[in-house]
Structure formats: structure tokens, C-alpha cells
Amino acid sequence: MSTTFNRRLLIVWLILTSMTLAYVWMDHTVDQNGTLRASTVVTVSAIVIALIKVRIIFREFMEVRHAPAWLCRLTDAWVVLIAACLLGSYFVGSAVS
Amino acid sequence: MRRTDGELILFWTLPVLAIIWVSAFFLFPGFVHPMSPTMSAEEVAGFYRDETARIRYSMILFNWFGVGLIPVVILLAMQIRRMAHRTPILCYSLIACAGGPPTLFLIANMFWLLGSFRPERAPELTQLLNDLAWLTFTILVPYLIAQSLLLALAIYWDRQDRPVFKPWVAHFNLLIAAALAPAAFTALAYTGPIAWDGLLSFWVKNIAIAVWIIVMGIVLGQTIRQQRAQDRVIA
Amino acid sequence: MSLPKMKTTEPLTMSDPPTGSWVSRLVWNFRHHPKRELWFAWWVMVIFYQLYGVLFFFVTRVQPPPSPAWDTPTVVRWFDDHDFGILAGFGVVFLVAGMCAPMNALLAYSMRRMSVSRLFAYSYLIIYSLAAVPGMLVMAIAMIVAALRPHRDPELIHWLYDFAFLSFSGTMGVFMIGSLVWMVAILLDKNRVFPKWFGYLSLCNALTEVVVAPAWIFHRGAFAWNGAIAWWINMVVFVLYTGVFIVLLRKMIQREDFRAGPLPALPDKGEAAHSDSVEAVR
Amino acid sequence: MTNLAGSRPQLEEKPTKFVPGQPDMWMFVLFESLLFTGYFSVYLVSRTQNEELYLRSQAALDLRIGVFNTIALLLSSWAIARCVKASREGAYRPALINASLTILFGVVFLVSKVLEWVKEIHMGNTFTSNEFFQHYFFLTSIHCIHVLIGFIVLGVVVYQLWSPVRRSQQLVETCATYWHTVDFLWVLIFALLYVVR
């Protein structure tokens, strides 16, 4: 029993780490010769990937998976809320400037 | 027989302190005819140049003994503890008040001493230090007001056969609180009773503090003596 | 840690308050309510924060704070415009600043009611009694000195302006340590005086006090003393935190039974309504 | 405590719903993440107002260090999750080992963070250099304060696991929840400071 659980944790960790490494790939595709360029696609996908990671941490590491429904919904709502705030401030800020 | 607990020693520091405070008060050249807020920067600077020595020595005396009131307030807080209250809240409140006036007074005291440290500086700066000192000194009333009101409330709530303090002490404290209140608004005027050398902000306020210390000192002395006599009977 | 046996002449269970006009009920509550000291301190706290908000935000107009990036003439003009508000408003502040004392006493009492050492109550009491001086009074003094003589050297007025706002915003250590003392007491407490989440909220509050420190460094931007992070977010957290502990203290007083063990839960609906009405009158 | 440890594996057979740790800690998690969202929003808005400067300054950050930091914290989070599982099953020795690993990875994170700061400061990028580095140093250091508090929290975990008379599963879970919060806040900070363009 415990081994299956720990394998699950290992897989979760591997997924999180590979998502982190995906950033390196993103970074390499967008930058040319070390000069950074603004990119809405990169910004939005960086935020979205980070929030997916946050949700995985909530569900798996923090064991919300086994928690009562209200906590599942609350944490999901929170991820959505954070996403709305971050993307909202990014787009509103871009529109203003 | 009761152990020597120092309560009386602390109490008897009060008259000694009072003598020192009164002498320092008269030694400071700016108090007996309180300096006016209408003095120009040059006049203020001249005052600090001419009276440097008396300002320094009187304020050093105040610096040494300014905090001497704290043990007395704590003695009052301990008497509140003996009252017929259900919680120690009023006692705590008095402890919370105890440090306030000496702290503010020490700030004012430092500004006066700073003013006299280099009286040859630009007159504008000396005037600034003088303003800071006088305003801080005049508005140090908030904790004194709170302390009088809380003490009055504590006495009023002390309903037992032999209350710790008699009811008139409560009324006396209300009167003192009322006398101290106008000083809070001293910055509103250069002249008149509210100004920092005026009737209300200077004379009424400082006389009220002095009377409060004398009257509460006597009341406290009697109460402590009665308490000790009572304790001896019980023992 | 047991509560001290306070001498009481009145029994804990009192006869009902008279059912007359609200004035007579108020008088009865003031004189005889078994929890009169607690309710007194609580009401002082509520009124103090109301006054604080009105005085700082509307009368003196020092909150939300003006910009640290202003040049000297702008600062002098600001003082000219707010002259009377500052002098009168801070006069009232000096008059009522002593209300902090019963408020801090109530907070200390909440720690006294917990199953923790007295150390916490006394530390908190002293820390927060000290806090009023750098947190409010020094600022008020600098402000009235600047407003007293609008014609003094503008450089000096500018210095007083900086002194006022930096002493007000920049000395947050007392509040940080105070919140942490309260937090530790709540987390260790076994008498259920406060819910544990409030302890964690105290940690959040303490951490926002850290965030104000850059106000000493920056003249503009999010971290200046009027910045989005150093002021606005902190203010929201502070207001929320204050609101929460006012409500929780009210609950604590309703539950108080003057014994040493765990605080009982709130009484049932009927009884709660009764005690509410008693307190509403106070 | 002993009968509790005995009854928990049964719970695992038929999974019942439970809130990990004190529900109170979740209040902290949600509030603190909201607070950070506020900081992030301010950062993102200021960023859009002066994109050039932010991009130029961002070039001075080394993404590899950021990735290393993130992986170190993810490892520590993984270890504390294993620790919770082990202690729930009554396997206190593995639980202790995992708790120590958590502390170890936390220290690795902290050290690499400090080294990165030193590197940036040597390059002339300090807290007062420009707006980007204000946010960079602010966000990383407020997060580091959380990590430092986290060490106290992990100390509570070790203290709980150490002696058979304590071992409160609820406290262990509460502390783990705090540590995961530190982790996911870093995940967000990492994405916003290093990756966003």
C-alpha cells in the first residue's frame, strides 16, 4: 500500500520537475542571442503552467484529493481567482500602457 | 510581622521627587514666565544663548528624575487590584498608561537640551527645537487624562463595604481630567488661554498635575497605611 | 495558570436588567453588568478605531499618505491647505490617545485568560503601550510643529514632513513583535480563547509589518510610504485583522465565565439573543 | 495516540474524506496566497508600464539558478509529503528521515538563494538599482522569511516525531501544509520573475 502511494508521489514530483524544465525550453525558443523580447504567449503560458503546478501541489502534496468537497472547491476557486488577478493585471496593465 | 517589601520606600520617594521637580521647574528660565509662541526665531535663539547654563542644569535634573512618577502610578494600579472588580483590566490599563507621560516628557526634555547644546546654530533651527520641546511638553496629557478617568471609573465600580478609595477621589480625578483636556489643543493658537504659555495650556494644566500628585500622594499614603494595619491584624 | 480570585460583591448570575427605557438599561448595565469591565474596554476599542479612522482619513487628511516624492514647495502648500485640519485633528488625537490603554488591557486580558504564562500578557501590554509613541504621537507632534509656523524655512517643514510620515510608517517592529507574541500565545493556548486560524492570521499581519521597511529607502514606487505594496496592501490587511480581532474579542467576552478552564462555547440562540440585547444597550 | 495510529490504516482501506492538518492552517494558506497575489499583481502592472527596463534587467538573472531553486524546493516538498504518509502509517523512522531531508533541501534552497543574491549584488544589481530589482529582492526576501519560519515549523515536525509521547498526526500535517505553501509560492514567484516576458 505505502509503496503505491509513494510511487504516486514520485510521479507527481517528476511531472512538477518536468514542467519546471519546460520553462527552460520556452526560454530558449523566445530569446535570441541573449536579448529578451516581450511575449504575451510566454507570459500567459508561464502563469498558466505555474498555476497548474500550484493546483497539482494542492491536490497531491497537500492531499486536497482526500479532503472534503468544500476544500477541493475552495482551493480550485482560489487557483482561478489567482489566475484572474494575475492575467487581469497583466492585460489591464498592457492595455493602459 | 510583614516583610520589608519596599512599598513604603517607593512611596516616600514621592516627596523627595516633588522637591526636585519643583526646584528644576523654577531653575528652568522658560517656565516662570513661560516662553511665548510669538517669540521670533532670533529672540528664541538669543534666549538659548543667554540662559544656556540654567536650561542645561534644570533639564538635566528633569532628565534624571522625570520618570519618577512611574512607581506612583504602579502603586495606584496595585490599589486598583484590591478593588471589587472581576477582571484585572483596569489595573492593566493603568500600567499601560504609566510609561506614556514620562516618555513624552523625556522627548521634550531632549529637545530643550539639544537646543542649548549649540545655541550658536542658525536661529531657525533653535526655534524648531524649541517648538518641538514646548509642544511635546504641553501635549503630554493624553495618558494623564486617561489615567485620571480610569481611576475614577475604577473607584466608582469598587462597590464593597470598605472601598479602597473614597468616592470623592473619583470626582477629584474627573476634575483633573477636565483641567488637563484643553492642553491637547495648544497648537491652535499663538496667544490666549490655549497657547502654550496661556492660562489653560500652561497654568491650569501644570497646576492640575501638581495638585493631582499631591492629593493622590496623600490619599495613597493613607490607603497604604490602612492596608498594612489591616494586614497586620489578619496576620 | 489560574485566574486570580478577584474580590466580588456581586454574584456572577445577576438578576435581569430592568425592562425600562434604553437609558435605564444602559445605566443598569454600566453599574451592574457582570462583564462591565470587559464590555467597557471593548467599546473603548471600537470607538477608538472609529475615531482613528475619522481623524486620520478625514480630518487631518494624513491618510492615505501624500507622496514622499513631492518637492519642498508642494509640501509647504500641502501644509497650508491642511493647516486647520491638522492642528484641530491632532488636538483630538492627543485628547483621546489614552483610549489605547483599556484597549491594550483587554488584549492583554485575552492572553491572561489563556492557558499560557503571564509573560505573554505583560509583554504584549508593554509592547503595545510603547507602540503608541512611535506609531502615532511622534507623527502628531511633527505634524503640529510643521503646521504651527507655516512660514518657517521650507526645508525645515520638509524635514518635519519626512519625520512625521517615516516615524508613522517606518516603526513597525513593535507591531510585528506584538503580533508574534499574540500569535504564540494563541497557538499554545488550550482554553480555546481564540480560534487557531486567528493565530495564523496574526502571522500574516506580522509579515506585512516587515514589508513597510522599504519606506525608509524609496521616494516613489510601490515600496514608498504611499506605495501600493507598502501602504495599500498593508492597510487592507491591517483593517481586516483589526476587524477580525474586534469581533473575536466580542465573542470572547460573551463566552467569558471567569473560571480558569477552557472557555465554553457560545450559549444557544435564545440566551445569545439575550446577551446580545444586553450588550447592544451598552 | 497509539490507538489513533492503529486505526488510521483502516481509514486508508476505505478512503474517508478528511482535512489534512488543522483546518485553521488552510485559512492561512488561502489568506497568504491572496496577499502574495496582491504583490504579484502590483509587479505585473508595473512591469507592463515599463517593459523595456524589466526585460533588460531580467537578462541579468540566470534561469538555471531559478530552475535549481525550484527543483530543490519541489524535492523538499516531496520529502515532507512522504514524511506525512510515513507518520500516518506509524513508520516514524522513515518519517524522521524524510523530515530531515526536507530541512536539507530547504537549506540547499536557502544557500543557493543567498549565493544568487551575492552574485546579483556583485553585478551591481541591488535593491535600489531599479524597479525590477526592487520587486526581485522584495519578493525573494519576503519568501525567504517564509522559508526561515518554515524551518521553525519543520522543527516542530521533528520535535513531534521524535518522542512516542507526542506524535500528533494533525500537527505534522499542519506543518506540512505550511511547507507546501512556501513551495507553491516559490513556484509562482519563479514563473513571474524569471520566465514571464
Side-chain angles (χ1 to χ4, degrees), chain A:
Chain A
M1 180 117 188
S2 79
T3 49
T4 56
F5 269 109
N6 282 343
R7 186 174 304 144
R8 190 178 171 109
L9 282 180
L10 180 65
I11 293 166
V12 168
W13 180 80
L14 283 172
I15 292 170
L16 288 171
T17 305
S18 49
M19 287 171 89
T20 309
L21 292 172
Y23 284 144
V24 181
W25 172 78
M26 264 167 55
D27 206 58
H28 279 296
T29 52
V30 71
D31 296 340
Q32 285 166 344
N33 315 325
T35 43
L36 278 59
R37 284 184 308 149
S39 157
T40 306
V41 179
V42 173
T43 303
V44 172
S45 43
I47 292 173
V48 169
I49 291 177
L51 284 165
I52 294 172
K53 282 162 77 177
V54 170
R55 183 159 189 277
I56 295 176
I57 293 174
F58 270 140
R59 300 285 298 188
E60 300 293 333
F61 281 174
M62 296 169 96
E63 301 188 305
V64 172
R65 207 159 54 91
H66 297 299
W70 63 267
L71 191 59
C72 297
R73 296 213 187 98
L74 197 60
T75 49
D76 285 347
W78 231 249
V79 172
V80 173
L81 184 68
I82 296 175
C85 288
L86 296 187
L87 295 174
S89 44
Y90 174 71
F91 284 117
V92 170
S94 305
V96 168
S97 78

Side-chain angles (χ1 to χ4, degrees), chain B residues 143, chain C residues 97 100 104 127-139 174-175:
Chain B
Y143 294 100
Chain C
C100 291
N104 294 332
I127 290 173
Y128 266 70
S129 314
L130 170 73
V133 175
M136 186 166 74
L137 293 176
V138 170
M139 179 211 206
V174 278
F175 299 99

Side-chain angles (χ1 to χ4, degrees), chain B residues 59-137:
Chain B
M59 281 300 149
I60 288 174
L61 264 183
F62 271 128
N63 194 298
W64 281 338
F65 296 103
V67 295
L69 197 61
I70 290 182
V72 179
V73 179
I74 301 293
L75 278 178
L76 280 173
M78 286 173 64
Q79 291 303 323
I80 292 183
R81 204 55 186 273
R82 294 174 57 225
M83 293 178 178
H85 301 159
R86 199 168 264 124
T87 62
I89 281 196
L90 286 170
C91 169
Y92 283 0
S93 306
L94 229 64
I95 295 175
C97 284
T103 311
L104 288 172
F105 181 74
L106 279 178
I107 294 174
N109 176 275
M110 279 190 299
F111 285 128
W112 268 312
L113 282 169
L114 273 170
S116 68
F117 186 66
R118 275 187 225 285
E120 69 280 5
R121 70 167 77 72
E124 284 264 311
L125 288 174
T126 305
Q127 190 192 32
L128 172 66
L129 291 171
N130 188 55
D131 287 346
L132 282 165
W134 270 99
L135 285 181
T136 312
F137 169 70

Side-chain angles (χ1 to χ4, degrees), chain C residues 91-165:
Chain C
V92 183
V93 168
F94 290 126
L95 194 65
V96 302
M99 291 170 86
C100 291
M103 180 174 109
N104 294 332
L106 180 63
L107 298 184
Y109 178 78
S110 77
M111 264 163 270
R112 189 66 192 281
R113 187 63 184 78
M114 295 176 189
S115 67
V116 296
S117 158
R118 288 184 193 189
L119 169 81
F120 289 96
Y122 285 117
S123 306
Y124 191 90
L125 186 65
I126 299 299
I127 290 173
Y128 266 70
S129 314
L130 170 73
V133 175
M136 186 166 74
L137 293 176
V138 170
M139 179 211 206
I141 291 168
M143 278 284 161
I144 59 167
V145 170
L148 178 75
R149 287 187 213 286
H151 302 301
R152 87 168 84 232
D153 184 355
E155 291 286 333
L156 292 179
I157 292 194
H158 204 164
W159 178 78
L160 286 165
Y161 177 79
D162 290 344
F163 182 34
F165 285 106

Side-chain angles (χ1 to χ4, degrees), chain C residues 55-87 90 139-150 154 157-166 168 225-226:
Chain C
L55 287 170
F56 278 71
F57 281 82
F58 301 112
V59 180
T60 61
R61 297 296 189 97
V62 294
Q63 302 281 318
S67 168
W70 282 353
D71 58 354
T72 308
T74 318
V75 170
V76 173
R77 210 169 326 118
W78 183 81
F79 272 109
D80 278 344
D81 294 346
H82 297 79
D83 200 16
F84 182 75
I86 288 174
L87 292 174
F90 281 117
M139 179 211 206
I141 291 168
M143 278 284 161
I144 59 167
V145 170
L148 178 75
R149 287 187 213 286
I157 292 194
H158 204 164
W159 178 78
L160 286 165
Y161 177 79
D162 290 344
F163 182 34
F165 285 106
L166 285 173
F168 181 75
W225 78 51
N226 67 340

